[in-house]
Amino acid sequence: MTGTDPYLLDSAGRRFLLTIPITTLGRSPEAQVLIVDRRASRRHAEIHCDANGCSITDLDSTNGTTLNGLRLTVPQTLHPGDVINIGSATFTFHDPEATLRESHGPLLVVSPDRREIWVNQRPVTLTPKEQVLFELLYECRGWVISKQQIAAAVWPEYQAEVFDYQIESLVKRLREALEPDPRHPVLLLTIRGQGYRFVASH
C-alpha cells in the first residue's frame, strides 16, 4: 500500500486496500473484504476504483448496503469520510488523492458491460445509436476516432454514404447526455480535421 491508495478503515482500525478495478465485500472467503456476519451476503457489494475515483454498488444483497445511513439503490460515488454499513460491519472510506482528483473533470462511472453509465452520480440514458457511439469512443478513449470509423460502427446497415451532419448530430446528442456543460465539453472533444476523442480515464 502506498500513501496515496484509497482504502477502507473498519471500526477496529484495520485498513483494507481498494484494488483496481474491483474490490468485493461479503461473507465469501473469496471476497477481498471479508465480513463475518450472517446478515452479509456472500457477494454483498463491490467498490469500483479507477483514475477518476471510487464508487460503490450493492450486488442485490438480501439485507442491503447503507452509505451514510441511506440504503443504496444505485451506484454511488465515494467521498472521503463516507460511512458504509453492511450488517454489523462499519467502514469509513479514505482517499488521499481525492482533492487532487477533483480538478480532473466530472466523475464518470461505467458498468463492465457499458450498459449503465453515471456522470457525477447522475444516471445517463442513451438511445441505441448513442450507446453504440459511446461504446466505440469509450473503448478507444484517448485515441482520435474519425468520422469514417464512427459511420462504420454506428450505421453498418448503410451501403450509401453517411453524411457529416448525421455524425455531428449524434455527437451533439451524446454530449448533451454526458457533459455537465455540453457547450464546453470536457469528455468528448472535437479534434479539428481528424475526428473525436473521448478523454475519460479508465
Side-chain angles (χ1 to χ4, degrees):
M1 178 187 296
T2 70
T4 58
D5 293 321
Y7 62 92
L8 298 179
L9 188 70
D10 71 5
S11 55
R14 294 176 296 182
R15 290 191 181 195
F16 299 89
L17 176 67
L18 298 175
T19 57
I20 294 177
I22 297 173
T23 299
T24 302
L25 298 82
R27 194 160 42 85
S28 169
E30 297 177 357
Q32 286 80 25
V33 180
L34 178 62
I35 301 173
V36 185
D37 186 323
R38 290 194 173 187
R39 287 173 292 177
S41 300
R42 290 180 61 80
R43 295 181 71 256
H44 196 103
E46 285 181 346
I47 294 178
H48 296 245
C49 293
D50 60 21
N52 288 318
C54 298
S55 65
I56 184 169
T57 303
D58 182 82
L59 299 176
D60 294 325
S61 64
T62 301
N63 294 305
T65 302
T66 64
L67 178 65
N68 300 324
L70 299 176
R71 184 160 179 160
L72 282 178
T73 56
V74 297
Q76 293 289 337
T77 302
L78 289 171
H79 302 281
D82 280 351
V83 176
I84 301 163
N85 287 99
I86 296 175
S88 61
T90 300
F91 304 94
T92 304
F93 175 71
H94 294 268
D95 186 357
E97 286 198 335
T99 301
L100 175 63
R101 191 180 291 113
E102 286 173 359
S103 64
H104 291 176
L107 175 64
L108 175 75
V109 177
V110 182
S111 64
D113 64 2
R114 310 287 189 258
R115 293 296 173 177
E116 295 183 347
I117 306 164
W118 299 267
V119 176
N120 291 342
Q121 303 184 46
R122 172 181 59 86
V124 173
T125 301
L126 301 178
T127 65
K129 292 296 188 187
E130 291 166 1
Q131 181 71 33
V132 174
L133 176 59
F134 172 79
E135 291 176 5
L136 170 66
L137 294 169
Y138 186 79
E139 290 292 341
C140 300
R141 53 196 177 278
W143 295 84
V144 177
I145 303 301
S146 69
K147 288 183 176 179
Q148 290 81 3
Q149 289 172 296
I150 291 174
V154 178
W155 290 277
E157 71 276 15
Y158 280 21
Q159 299 299 318
E161 180 184 3
V162 176
F163 296 102
D164 281 358
Y165 79 86
Q166 293 173 280
I167 297 170
E168 291 163 2
S169 176
L170 184 62
V171 168
K172 180 176 182 289
R173 295 199 303 273
L174 183 59
R175 279 190 176 130
E176 289 172 347
L178 293 176
E179 299 279 3
D181 183 357
R183 297 168 300 175
H184 301 94
V186 294
L187 294 172
L188 177 48
L189 306 181
T190 299
I191 309 301
R192 191 174 299 277
Q194 299 182 52
Y196 302 94
R197 184 172 68 207
F198 200 77
V199 298
S201 300
H202 182 57

